[in-house]
Amino acid sequence: MTIEGAVLDKPRTRDAERTKAEILRAARDEFCEQGFNGARVDAIAARAKANKRLLYHYYGNKEALYSAVLLDAYLEIRGGERELSLGQYDPVEAMDRLVRFTFRHFLANPWFPRLLAVENLQNARFLKTLKDIPAINSPLVPQLSDILRRGAESGAFRKDVDPMQLYISIAGLGYFYVSNMKTLSVIFDRDLSQFALIQDREAQAVQMVLDYLRTRRS
C-alpha cells in the first residue's frame, strides 16, 4: 500500500521466541560471570537490549530466569548426547566418540563449566527444584551400560565397570582441562588453548578411558 508514492511497511510483530532466547543467552553470560548472587536483572536486560518488564513477563523473576538458564544448558548437552546414536557403533568406536563429544562440548561451550560451578556453589538447590528432571537425566548411563555389556561380551572390555562412575570420569577429563585452562597455562608456562595441545589432550583422554576398560583386574 502506498500514499503519495511512499511505501508503508506493515507493523512488525515482536518475535517473542527470539527475544526470549536473547534474554536467556544474556542471563547465562551474566550468571556465569557474576555468579547467582552477583547477577543483576538490570544488567541482564541491558545485555539482551530488552525491556526489563519484558524480562519479568517472560521469566517471572531472577530465580526463575536462572532456573531456565540451567535447564536450557542441560537440555543442550543431552540433545547432543542423544544425537550420537552410539548403539550403531562397535563398543570401542562408541566409547571413542563419546569421550571426544564430551571433551569437545566443554571446549566449545566454556560457559558450561562456569555455570556448573555457580550451581555447585548454590549446593544444587535450583537443580533440585527443576520440574523437568527426567528430561535432563543423561541418556548415557543406560547407553553406557549397553556399550559396556557388548564390549564385555566381545572380550574388548572388562566386566566390572560401573557406568555411572565411568560417565563421571569421562566428564571430568574434559571439564577439568577447560575450566582450569588459564591457571594450568600459567603453572606449566604453556598456552593450553593451542590447537595442537588440545588435540593431544583429547587423544590422551580417549586413550585413558580405553586403557582402563581394557585392563583386567587380577
Side-chain angles (χ1 to χ4, degrees), residues 41-52:
V41 172
D42 286 339
I44 294 170
R47 283 176 182 263
K49 298 180 181 178
N51 188 295
K52 187 167 70 172

PDB file of all heavy atoms in Angstrom, residues 41-52:
ATOM      1  N   VAL A  41      19.361  -8.231  37.420  1.00  0.00           N
ATOM      2  CA  VAL A  41      18.353  -8.242  36.360  1.00  0.00           C
ATOM      3  C   VAL A  41      18.547  -7.053  35.424  1.00  0.00           C
ATOM      4  O   VAL A  41      18.393  -7.187  34.203  1.00  0.00           O
ATOM      5  CB  VAL A  41      16.936  -8.241  36.960  1.00  0.00           C
ATOM      6  CG1 VAL A  41      15.883  -8.059  35.866  1.00  0.00           C
ATOM      7  CG2 VAL A  41      16.675  -9.548  37.718  1.00  0.00           C
ATOM      8  N   ASP A  42      18.881  -5.901  35.967  1.00  0.00           N
ATOM      9  CA  ASP A  42      19.127  -4.719  35.128  1.00  0.00           C
ATOM     10  C   ASP A  42      20.250  -4.985  34.131  1.00  0.00           C
ATOM     11  O   ASP A  42      20.159  -4.597  32.959  1.00  0.00           O
ATOM     12  CB  ASP A  42      19.493  -3.508  35.988  1.00  0.00           C
ATOM     13  CG  ASP A  42      18.288  -2.928  36.716  1.00  0.00           C
ATOM     14  OD1 ASP A  42      17.159  -3.186  36.251  1.00  0.00           O
ATOM     15  OD2 ASP A  42      18.474  -2.229  37.724  1.00  0.00           O
ATOM     16  N   ALA A  43      21.303  -5.646  34.593  1.00  0.00           N
ATOM     17  CA  ALA A  43      22.439  -5.946  33.719  1.00  0.00           C
ATOM     18  C   ALA A  43      22.041  -6.947  32.645  1.00  0.00           C
ATOM     19  O   ALA A  43      22.478  -6.845  31.491  1.00  0.00           O
ATOM     20  CB  ALA A  43      23.603  -6.490  34.548  1.00  0.00           C
ATOM     21  N   ILE A  44      21.217  -7.919  33.005  1.00  0.00           N
ATOM     22  CA  ILE A  44      20.759  -8.912  32.025  1.00  0.00           C
ATOM     23  C   ILE A  44      19.914  -8.246  30.951  1.00  0.00           C
ATOM     24  O   ILE A  44      20.085  -8.503  29.751  1.00  0.00           O
ATOM     25  CB  ILE A  44      19.960 -10.029  32.724  1.00  0.00           C
ATOM     26  CG1 ILE A  44      20.880 -10.829  33.658  1.00  0.00           C
ATOM     27  CG2 ILE A  44      19.299 -10.952  31.696  1.00  0.00           C
ATOM     28  CD1 ILE A  44      20.142 -11.804  34.564  1.00  0.00           C
ATOM     29  N   ALA A  45      19.003  -7.367  31.366  1.00  0.00           N
ATOM     30  CA  ALA A  45      18.159  -6.658  30.402  1.00  0.00           C
ATOM     31  C   ALA A  45      19.009  -5.806  29.466  1.00  0.00           C
ATOM     32  O   ALA A  45      18.757  -5.749  28.259  1.00  0.00           O
ATOM     33  CB  ALA A  45      17.147  -5.792  31.141  1.00  0.00           C
ATOM     34  N   ALA A  46      20.041  -5.161  30.022  1.00  0.00           N
ATOM     35  CA  ALA A  46      20.924  -4.331  29.199  1.00  0.00           C
ATOM     36  C   ALA A  46      21.697  -5.183  28.202  1.00  0.00           C
ATOM     37  O   ALA A  46      21.857  -4.807  27.033  1.00  0.00           O
ATOM     38  CB  ALA A  46      21.890  -3.552  30.095  1.00  0.00           C
ATOM     39  N   ARG A  47      22.191  -6.330  28.642  1.00  0.00           N
ATOM     40  CA  ARG A  47      22.920  -7.238  27.740  1.00  0.00           C
ATOM     41  C   ARG A  47      22.020  -7.695  26.592  1.00  0.00           C
ATOM     42  O   ARG A  47      22.460  -7.802  25.447  1.00  0.00           O
ATOM     43  CB  ARG A  47      23.403  -8.469  28.509  1.00  0.00           C
ATOM     44  CG  ARG A  47      24.620  -8.289  29.392  1.00  0.00           C
ATOM     45  CD  ARG A  47      24.879  -9.594  30.141  1.00  0.00           C
ATOM     46  NE  ARG A  47      25.999  -9.532  31.053  1.00  0.00           N
ATOM     47  CZ  ARG A  47      27.234  -9.954  30.773  1.00  0.00           C
ATOM     48  NH1 ARG A  47      27.497 -10.455  29.588  1.00  0.00           N
ATOM     49  NH2 ARG A  47      28.196  -9.884  31.676  1.00  0.00           N
ATOM     50  N   ALA A  48      20.762  -8.000  26.922  1.00  0.00           N
ATOM     51  CA  ALA A  48      19.825  -8.507  25.920  1.00  0.00           C
ATOM     52  C   ALA A  48      19.196  -7.397  25.097  1.00  0.00           C
ATOM     53  O   ALA A  48      18.483  -7.674  24.123  1.00  0.00           O
ATOM     54  CB  ALA A  48      18.731  -9.318  26.602  1.00  0.00           C
ATOM     55  N   LYS A  49      19.443  -6.140  25.514  1.00  0.00           N
ATOM     56  CA  LYS A  49      18.815  -4.985  24.873  1.00  0.00           C
ATOM     57  C   LYS A  49      17.299  -5.150  24.865  1.00  0.00           C
ATOM     58  O   LYS A  49      16.613  -4.920  23.861  1.00  0.00           O
ATOM     59  CB  LYS A  49      19.346  -4.803  23.449  1.00  0.00           C
ATOM     60  CG  LYS A  49      20.849  -4.531  23.387  1.00  0.00           C
ATOM     61  CD  LYS A  49      21.345  -4.360  21.970  1.00  0.00           C
ATOM     62  CE  LYS A  49      22.855  -4.107  21.957  1.00  0.00           C
ATOM     63  NZ  LYS A  49      23.393  -3.979  20.575  1.00  0.00           N
ATOM     64  N   ALA A  50      16.803  -5.565  26.028  1.00  0.00           N
ATOM     65  CA  ALA A  50      15.380  -5.828  26.185  1.00  0.00           C
ATOM     66  C   ALA A  50      14.834  -5.007  27.352  1.00  0.00           C
ATOM     67  O   ALA A  50      15.562  -4.658  28.280  1.00  0.00           O
ATOM     68  CB  ALA A  50      15.128  -7.307  26.434  1.00  0.00           C
ATOM     69  N   ASN A  51      13.556  -4.725  27.296  1.00  0.00           N
ATOM     70  CA  ASN A  51      12.883  -4.027  28.385  1.00  0.00           C
ATOM     71  C   ASN A  51      12.818  -4.940  29.605  1.00  0.00           C
ATOM     72  O   ASN A  51      12.472  -6.119  29.486  1.00  0.00           O
ATOM     73  CB  ASN A  51      11.463  -3.642  27.941  1.00  0.00           C
ATOM     74  CG  ASN A  51      10.772  -2.746  28.950  1.00  0.00           C
ATOM     75  OD1 ASN A  51      10.507  -3.159  30.070  1.00  0.00           O
ATOM     76  ND2 ASN A  51      10.482  -1.526  28.533  1.00  0.00           N
ATOM     77  N   LYS A  52      13.156  -4.401  30.760  1.00  0.00           N
ATOM     78  CA  LYS A  52      13.174  -5.227  31.972  1.00  0.00           C
ATOM     79  C   LYS A  52      11.792  -5.803  32.277  1.00  0.00           C
ATOM     80  O   LYS A  52      11.677  -6.932  32.764  1.00  0.00           O
ATOM     81  CB  LYS A  52      13.689  -4.412  33.155  1.00  0.00           C
ATOM     82  CG  LYS A  52      13.890  -5.246  34.425  1.00  0.00           C
ATOM     83  CD  LYS A  52      14.694  -4.505  35.471  1.00  0.00           C
ATOM     84  CE  LYS A  52      13.902  -3.372  36.058  1.00  0.00           C
ATOM     85  NZ  LYS A  52      14.584  -2.757  37.219  1.00  0.00           N
TER      86      LYS A  52
END
